[in-house]
């Protein structure tokens, strides 16, 4: 029986890697028994098996939900209407509508804003000699970028940040879950208010694309438009924040890698991929079997919940040489952090832009980098990473060059 994967505390524990190693080696496909009202579920831990399940959307559906918590508590009410929990062929038609918002041209525009904002935020931290990297830098950029994509008016952006933090803030307590549900509703209401204007005067933003887009020859329903705006926010905010903050922690924990990156601008792209692999902000994804199937000799029945643990896949020694080593020059690096197959992260190009710009600004502006207090980690079985990262830093010396 896999160790207590439902318990958020398990995912705060960096030593859990031994447990993953054991599962990968001895029980790569294992069954977590039902307990009380909670159904049982399959736990898949090897890279190749996980990648195969991601590709197999016909036999392993996302429509009941793609998070263990949701799957264990009756399924996702947005199934079939929000991209990430919609199966092909509807999925492909809606994804086509959204794709335009992530074109190379759109990304280049957002990258300019991301660069300016990141430069200023990092400069402020360096001027102050340090700060909480999560609050001062990592939390600011992703939502700003998302607001650009959705063309949220600047005056509303602080409200959107508060609501998003509250919507994602469920930490297992009943109060937080209630506050999160209220905030989620407020976010949907906010976007509902933008719809009439975006239908009358459409732009190239995500809300306009969805509000005026068609899938299967028909306009998207209002519910689909709103849920997909929400998908962009929940998909792109906390995930990117966790990987940015995790990048800084990894560089502090591995000063020799920080030094290599400072000395060689050519390592920026591979460093972005290694940060994505190392931090793996989305611990797992879930699917539901639509038919009986067999995986590594295990009989998975139609209706069974199947969970795919990226945390484990990204440390699989069959795919990654010396997987527990953080190496900013690692190539190849085919991590599963952004998923795989038809649901591969739509915002991947944006996540990469944000991380690259942040690493470039750290190189340009920061010299000495160290911890200044205890690190706090989020409590969730779905997302993992740091929520507070107190750092001390000094201004860059002459080694780093501008990029
Ligand atoms: C899908 C992770 C950034 C929007 C996914 C999936 C993963 C993922 C694992 C696949 C879900 C599945 O197969 O069920 C991440 C991580 C990010 C990140 C780790 C940052 C480091 C972003 C950003 C955006 C975004 C910046 C948008 C602004 C989406 C959307 C989907 C998705 C819309 C659904 C794609 C589909 O179902 O076709 N993401 N994501 N993500 N992500 Fe991201």
């Amino acid at each position: 029986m896999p160790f207590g994967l439902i318990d958020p505390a398990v995912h705060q524990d960096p030593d859990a890697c031994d447990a993953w190693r054991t599962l990968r080696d001895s029980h790569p496909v294992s069954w977590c028994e039902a307990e009380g009202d909670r159904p049982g579920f399959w736990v898949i831990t090897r890279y190749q098996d996980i990648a195969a399940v991601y590709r197999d959307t016909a036999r392993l559906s996302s429509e009941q939900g793609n998070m263990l918590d949701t799957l264990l508590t009756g399924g996702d009410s947005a199934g079939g209407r929000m991209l990430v929990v919609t199966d092909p062929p509807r999925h492909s038609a809606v994804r086509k509508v959204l794709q335009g918002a992530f074109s190379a041209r759109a990304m280049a525009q957002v990258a300019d804003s991301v660069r300016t904002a990141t430069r200023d935020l990092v400069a402020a931290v360096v001027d102050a000699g340090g700060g909480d990297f999560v609050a001062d830098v990592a939390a600011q950029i992703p939502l700003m970028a998302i607001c650009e994509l959705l063309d949220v008016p600047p005056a509303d952006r602080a409200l959107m940040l508060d609501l998003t933090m509250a919507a994602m803030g469920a930490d297992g307590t009943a109060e937080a879950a209630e506050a999160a549900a209220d905030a989620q509703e407020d976010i949907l209401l906010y976007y509902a208010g933008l719809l009439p204007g975006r239908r009358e005067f459409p732009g190239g933003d995500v809300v306009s694309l969805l509000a005026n887009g068609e899938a299967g020859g028909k306009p998207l329903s209002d519910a689909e438009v709103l849920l997909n705006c929400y998908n962009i926010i929940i998909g792109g905010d906390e995930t990117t924040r966790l990987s940015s903050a995790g990048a800084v922690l990894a560089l502090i924990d591995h000063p020799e890698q920080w030094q290599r990156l400072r000395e060689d601008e050519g390592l920026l792209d591979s460093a972005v991929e290694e940060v994505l692999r190392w931090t793996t902000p989305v611990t797992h994804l879930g699917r539901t079997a639509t038919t009986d199937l067999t995986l590594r000799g295990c009989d998975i029945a139609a209706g069974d919940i199947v969970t795919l643990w990226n945390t484990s896949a990204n440390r699989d020694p069959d795919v990654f040489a010396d997987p527990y080593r953080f190496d900013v020059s690692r190539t190849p690096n085919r991590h599963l952090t952004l998923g795989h197959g038809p649901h591969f992260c739509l915002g991947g190009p944006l996540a990469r832009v944000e991380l690259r710009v942040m690493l470039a600004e750290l190189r340009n502006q920061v010299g000495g980098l160290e911890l200044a207090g205890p690190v706090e980690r989020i409590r969730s079985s779905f997302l993992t990473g740091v929520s507070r990262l107190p750092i001390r830093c000094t201004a860059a010396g002459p080694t780093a060059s501008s990029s």
Side-chain angles (χ1 to χ4, degrees):
M1 139 79 190
F3 56 109
L5 291 173
I6 302 163
D7 179 0
V10 165
H11 304 280
Q12 294 181 301
D13 174 11
D15 295 330
C17 52
D18 284 345
W20 289 119
R21 210 179 271 127
T22 308
L23 279 181
R24 256 190 328 264
D25 289 350
S26 318
H27 311 281
V29 176
S30 52
W31 175 249
C32 181
E33 292 293 343
E35 219 177 270
D37 290 345
R38 171 180 71 63
F41 57 94
W42 292 99
V43 174
I44 320 278
T45 48
R46 283 200 193 155
Y47 181 105
Q48 299 299 358
D49 296 339
I50 291 177
V53 171
Y54 278 138
R55 289 191 294 268
D56 193 352
T57 51
R59 295 192 304 167
L60 290 134
S61 163
S62 296
E63 297 226 351
Q64 288 73 16
N66 71 341
M67 292 165 55
L68 182 56
D69 273 355
T70 323
L71 288 164
L72 293 177
T73 50
D76 196 319
S77 57
R81 295 181 298 164
M82 181 163 84
L83 188 68
V84 80
V85 284
T86 297
D87 291 336
R90 180 79 185 162
H91 169 267
S92 331
V94 176
R95 188 164 164 122
K96 218 180 261 170
V97 174
L98 273 166
Q99 202 90 53
F102 295 90
S103 66
R105 199 162 138 253
M107 285 306 99
Q109 271 171 13
V110 179
D112 282 344
S113 313
V114 167
R115 198 168 294 116
T116 310
T118 309
R119 185 179 302 147
D120 293 350
L121 291 167
V122 172
V125 171
V126 173
D127 278 354
D132 173 7
F133 192 84
V134 175
D136 297 346
V137 182
Q140 309 286 331
I141 303 296
L143 200 72
M144 185 223 79
I146 290 167
C147 286
E148 295 261 309
L149 282 182
L150 297 164
D151 197 15
V152 172
D156 298 343
R157 292 187 180 185
L159 167 74
M160 208 35 63
L161 180 61
D162 287 349
L163 287 178
T164 308
M165 299 279 258
M168 299 300 292
D171 62 359
T173 64
E175 303 80 61
E178 202 174 308
D182 288 348
Q184 285 158 17
E185 206 175 306
D186 287 345
I187 292 175
L188 293 178
L189 282 173
Y190 174 81
Y191 286 102
L194 294 183
L195 283 189
R198 302 295 162 95
R199 288 206 166 108
E200 203 175 345
F201 305 107
D205 62 281
V206 168
V207 186
S208 296
L209 288 177
L210 288 165
N212 301 289
E214 287 192 353
K218 283 202 285 190
L220 301 180
S221 69
D222 280 4
E224 278 181 302
V225 173
L226 299 178
L227 287 167
N228 281 301
C229 290
Y230 188 65
N231 195 166
I232 302 286
I233 300 169
I234 48 165
D237 179 41
E238 194 163 10
T239 47
T240 320
R241 179 189 330 157
L242 293 169
S243 57
S244 304
V248 173
L249 182 58
L251 292 170
I252 291 173
D253 284 345
H254 304 87
E256 77 296 348
Q257 298 297 319
W258 169 227
Q259 196 52 32
R260 289 180 74 198
L261 186 62
R262 289 193 68 216
E263 285 167 6
D264 186 354
E265 184 182 4
L267 290 177
L268 272 174
D269 288 333
S270 54
V272 166
E273 298 312 314
E274 182 66 342
V275 161
L276 285 168
R277 183 188 78 92
W278 191 253
T279 56
T280 314
V282 175
T283 60
H284 73 275
L285 290 160
R287 301 291 191 254
T288 304
T290 57
T291 179
D292 294 350
L293 61 127
T294 305
L295 187 58
R296 281 198 193 273
C298 296
D299 293 326
I300 298 179
D304 280 357
I305 296 169
V306 177
T307 58
L308 314 164
W309 292 86
N310 290 342
T311 311
S312 170
N314 280 346
R315 300 288 188 274
D316 187 334
D318 287 350
V319 178
F320 301 99
D322 204 356
Y324 292 92
R325 187 164 50 90
F326 177 67
D327 174 1
V328 292
S329 63
R330 182 182 291 275
T331 2
N333 194 345
R334 284 186 285 273
H335 57 78
L336 295 180
T337 299
L338 300 169
H340 179 73
H343 287 282
F344 180 78
C345 179
L346 192 62
L350 179 57
R352 288 182 161 121
V353 162
E354 290 177 35
L355 281 172
R356 194 179 196 286
V357 166
M358 193 207 63
L359 293 176
E361 283 309 320
L362 289 177
R363 285 187 72 254
N364 290 342
Q365 301 193 48
V366 178
L369 187 56
E370 59 182 22
L371 277 186
V375 171
E376 285 171 20
R377 304 189 70 89
I378 63 163
R379 274 180 60 82
S380 160
S381 61
F382 184 62
L383 294 175
T384 185
V386 295
S387 56
R388 188 167 175 275
L389 181 61
I391 59 162
R392 234 185 323 268
C393 58
T394 55
T399 6
S401 61
S402 165
S403 68

